[in-house]
Amino acid sequence: MIPYGRQYIDDADKKAVNEVLGSDFLTQGEQVTGFEKDLCDYTGAKYCTAVNSATSALICAYKALGFGAGDILWTTPNTFVATSNSALLLGGSAHFIDIDLSTGNMSIEELEKELLQARENQTLPKIVCMVHYSGLSCDMKRVWELSKEYGFKLVEDASHAVGAVYNGSVVGSCEYSDACVFSFHPVKIMTTGEGGAVLTNSEEVYHLSQLACSHGVTKDKKFFKGSNTEPWYYEQIDIGYNFRMTDIHAVLGRSQLKKIEDFLKRRKELALRYEEAFKNLPLEITKVSSTNQSAWHLYPIRIRSDKASKKRLELFSILREASIYAQVHYIPVYNQPYYKNLGFQTGMCKNAEAFYDATLSLPMYYSLSNEEQDYVIKNVVDFFQ
Ligand SMILES: *Cc1c(COP(=O)(O)O)cnc(C)c1O
């Protein structure tokens, strides 16, 4: 069976996890703070909060940026449901901006148009969350300028984009955002089993993320409201969750991060091999400009045909029979029954719907061998010929 994505775990990873299992601390030891520091060193961000999933990281980031009841989040419909669910869980609402067909990322022209309109209607978002679909960064510099002009906070959901490069800097540097979120789910670029992180350059956002992920409790004297000095003293100064990462997960993340350049290099190689093999097929594939590098979490192909939806299903089924488990990313979030119940209607984002109808994610992961990829390629090429 060839899945669309999977983890790569080596002996060094197992050894690292085993050592933590034999140590004094399974959680709240030194591995979590160590992993946070490693992620700061890697991305260039000043602060990092490691948590137990990207979903938790999104909730922490939104909450730390002041998002709450009555606030509006804008994001793309071409994402996993967690991006907008996190806003709903905090008591706010979500609105979806259509995508650019060529990248699958939110269309910045569309964003700008809707911002103009929302300013008139006084329905501006508190937060805009940009999702770097498939591992390719959105044009963050432009959105950052819009965030200053319209006064919203800017979050990157970089669940797909650990290790991607935008305009010469590593995604997660937060050069053009208030906070950036990573996912370490096994299908993503690197894994901790389950896990995520919030990166930021703001001390305040960092402090509030730390509180949000651990009951709103602090042991740091400088935040105490009272004047107690007992060595056991702590204070709850906010309300929060238990979203903490364990040391077992964190040490796996530290071990995986050491391999990230190899992971990224191989994914890029696989992407180039697909591109070469498909160049004469009726397919649209993601083009990466010279100043950027995709992390290639996904390898989406979009079928060019007026019967794209039918063809996509046929291709999906043929691959399935050949034990190749391609996937579809994504059903536009607002078409989910839960969102339909909230009043969202099909037709809201035409490009996202057309993209969903025609797109398939082919196998893309570090340990995919050339032979396995050639087998996938052969099946795809045969289908179109
Ligand atoms: C995977 C993913 C998430 C959720 O990540 P978890 O770590 O599983 O919570 C959120 N957003 C996007 C875009 C994702 O791909």
Side-chain angles (χ1 to χ4, degrees), residues 104-379:
N105 282 335
M106 186 195 290
S107 157
I108 295 172
E109 290 70 37
E110 205 55 41
L111 172 64
E112 209 167 346
K113 246 197 267 169
E114 295 218 22
L115 283 168
L116 263 173
Q117 189 66 51
R119 183 155 60 188
E120 273 180 32
N121 302 346
Q122 301 194 319
T123 51
L124 281 169
K126 174 98 182 185
I127 293 178
V128 173
C129 183
M130 304 300 289
V131 177
H132 305 321
Y133 176 78
S134 80
L136 181 68
S137 177
C138 302
D139 191 352
M140 293 307 296
K141 194 158 183 281
R142 282 181 65 194
V143 189
W144 185 238
E145 284 158 10
L146 291 173
S147 79
K148 299 300 165 210
E149 190 181 338
Y150 288 90
F152 58 82
K153 299 292 181 188
L154 184 52
V155 174
E156 298 170 79
D157 180 345
S159 292
H160 298 187
V162 178
V165 174
Y166 168 73
N167 257 352
S169 50
V170 177
V171 168
S173 70
C174 299
E175 194 177 341
Y176 301 111
S177 68
D178 295 293
C180 178
V181 164
F182 285 168
S183 172
F184 307 120
H185 184 278
V187 298
K188 307 286 163 72
I189 308 294
M190 53 170 272
T191 191
T192 60
E194 294 275 6
V198 183
L199 295 138
T200 182
N201 290 326
S202 154
E203 191 175 354
E204 159 111 352
V205 171
Y206 167 66
H207 169 58
L208 294 172
S209 299
Q210 290 275 330
L211 287 177
C213 87
S214 194
H215 311 283
V217 162
T218 182
K219 286 180 183 159
D220 190 338
K221 277 203 283 289
K222 76 171 184 269
F223 300 114
F224 286 175
K225 311 288 177 199
S227 52
N228 304 49
T229 53
E230 299 90 338
W232 60 81
Y233 189 70
Y234 61 86
E235 277 188 359
Q236 185 193 341
I237 57 173
D238 196 354
I239 186 84
Y241 306 88
N242 181 353
F243 285 160
R244 290 190 305 261
M245 179 176 271
T246 74
D247 280 54
I248 306 166
H249 297 84
V251 82
L252 178 55
R254 297 184 82 180
S255 180
Q256 289 262 302
L257 190 56
K258 291 184 187 146
K259 294 183 268 286
I260 188 114
E261 294 309 331
D262 289 342
F263 288 172
L264 295 163
K265 187 163 153 269
R266 178 60 182 161
R267 284 174 180 273
K268 188 173 177 185
E269 240 167 54
L270 291 166
L272 289 172
R273 290 182 93 248
Y274 273 139
E275 183 174 358
E276 178 62 25
F278 296 155
K279 64 179 182 219
N280 297 319
L281 301 186
L283 295 175
E284 299 290 345
I285 55 171
T286 309
K287 306 232 171 9
V288 184
S289 77
S290 61
T291 50
N292 298 340
Q293 277 178 51
S294 176
W296 291 110
H297 161 55
L298 300 174
Y299 194 82
I301 54 171
R302 188 160 55 88
I303 299 173
R304 232 178 0 212
S305 158
D306 21 327
K307 297 194 202 68
S309 173
K310 186 164 160 284
K311 287 217 146 156
R312 194 266 308 271
L313 178 59
E314 283 167 16
L315 176 57
F316 181 92
S317 309
I318 278 169
L319 293 177
R320 220 4 106 94
E321 275 165 42
S323 285
I324 299 164
Y325 283 60
Q327 256 299 358
V328 175
H329 299 94
Y330 288 95
I331 301 167
V333 173
Y334 60 79
N335 273 337
Q336 296 291 349
Y338 185 83
Y339 282 81
K340 285 265 172 85
N341 263 337
L342 296 176
F344 289 96
Q345 284 173 4
T346 302
M348 185 182 181
C349 299
K350 294 271 189 292
N351 284 350
E353 291 177 18
F355 191 87
Y356 164 63
D357 279 344
T359 304
L360 199 60
S361 302
L362 295 182
M364 170 56 86
Y365 49 89
Y366 175 72
S367 61
L368 185 70
S369 68
N370 284 357
E371 293 68 33
E372 287 168 323
Q373 190 189 23
D374 288 341
Y375 175 69
V376 176
I377 288 169
K378 181 178 183 314
N379 275 276

